[in-house]
Amino acid sequence: MKSNTGSFNGYIRSELPSSLEIFTWELAQKYFLDPNFGGALVNGRRNVFTTTADFTGIAFLTEPQHLSPLISRLRVQTNSQADAEWDLDYDFKKHRVNASTALVNYHIGEFTFGGGDAYVQSLPGLTGSFAVQQDFNQFRVLFGYGHPNKRGFSGASSFGFDANLGFLQYATLQTSYNWDCCGATIEYRRFALGSVRNENQFRFSFTLANIGSFGNLRKQERLY
């Protein structure tokens, strides 16, 4: 499917010898030449195509349309200690916010504090002639100490609270200890998603310096 994408990026850099990108703002929107997507679109249903999922990650098609929602990606890092990000998807056709995610992190020495809010207004899931609307609003809190290469103890914990249903959806606790030759990391993760997912997970990773690591805890899943 052919499409046109427009975007705008703004940058502000400090005048210090070691430059720091403190402000980035990206705006983008797609234009679909064929609003019916070659006949693949089913009117009145939730449609997910590669060209739309890769762009926003949030389904927005229930009828033919030329324009995708406008996405905004704002990132601010005033110094090496603080950074923030706000991602927003606004659908002009439906006149609503499809998704909004805000994240803030602050570092004090070896300590890290973070928080965020993720809001998603999903499309109705249609069953016959009945539509069920599912909105998600979750708050996240992160506390951490240390970093992956720190000798000795490091640890972090993260919690996710569902604001709509009023209960703790997930909790994660990770801890590491590094020696000169090797290091070990263990994690406990709890999911409480009702009938969708309700389980406890235990993961670990053992690393040998200059050789590699093994275990079921991947690097991108670490909290610090």
Side-chain angles (χ1 to χ4, degrees), residues 49-221:
F49 303 124
T50 300
T51 186
T52 59
D54 289 347
F55 184 64
T56 68
I58 305 296
F60 59 86
L61 285 173
T62 55
E63 59 184 320
Q65 63 185 75
H66 284 291
L67 285 175
S68 74
L70 178 70
I71 65 170
S72 170
R73 304 293 183 257
L74 177 64
R75 301 173 183 89
V76 179
Q77 183 176 6
T78 56
N79 51 49
S80 60
Q81 293 179 310
D83 61 88
E85 180 175 346
W86 183 27
D87 298 341
L88 181 71
D89 293 12
Y90 186 82
D91 195 324
F92 287 97
K93 188 175 182 64
K94 297 180 176 63
H95 304 287
R96 69 173 195 173
V97 173
N98 285 349
S100 175
T101 302
L103 301 170
V104 178
N105 292 294
Y106 191 78
H107 309 277
I108 305 176
E110 296 288 347
F111 293 92
T112 300
F113 304 91
D117 175 58
Y119 171 78
V120 177
Q121 186 172 193
S122 62
L123 291 176
L126 300 182
T127 305
S129 59
F130 299 96
V132 179
Q133 183 75 38
Q134 293 184 338
D135 299 336
F136 302 92
N137 189 14
Q138 184 187 83
F139 294 97
R140 176 178 175 268
V141 179
L142 169 69
F143 302 100
Y145 170 76
H147 52 82
N149 299 321
K150 177 182 176 296
R151 184 177 177 181
F153 169 80
S154 295
S157 183
S158 178
F159 304 91
F161 183 82
D162 191 306
N164 289 349
L165 301 179
F167 73 96
L168 194 68
Q169 276 195 338
Y170 77 90
T172 305
L173 177 64
Q174 291 182 6
T175 182
S176 303
Y177 198 93
N178 292 324
W179 296 268
D180 291 334
C181 62
C182 55
T185 302
I186 59 174
E187 177 196 79
Y188 167 73
R189 185 171 295 190
R190 167 66 179 167
F191 293 96
L193 304 176
S195 60
V196 177
R197 193 176 186 184
N198 197 332
E199 63 178 300
N200 297 313
Q201 290 184 351
F202 295 91
R203 300 182 181 183
F204 79 98
S205 176
F206 183 77
T207 304
L208 291 173
N210 302 318
I211 297 179
S213 61
F214 69 91
N216 57 356
L217 178 60
R218 294 177 295 180
K219 183 177 180 181
Q220 60 268 29
E221 294 175 331

Side-chain angles (χ1 to χ4, degrees), residues 31-64:
Y31 180 84
F32 305 109
L33 299 178
D34 182 359
N36 291 293
F37 294 83
L41 186 143
V42 179
N43 196 23
R45 295 283 181 175
R46 184 175 181 267
N47 295 267
V48 179
F49 303 124
T50 300
T51 186
T52 59
D54 289 347
F55 184 64
T56 68
I58 305 296
F60 59 86
L61 285 173
T62 55
E63 59 184 320

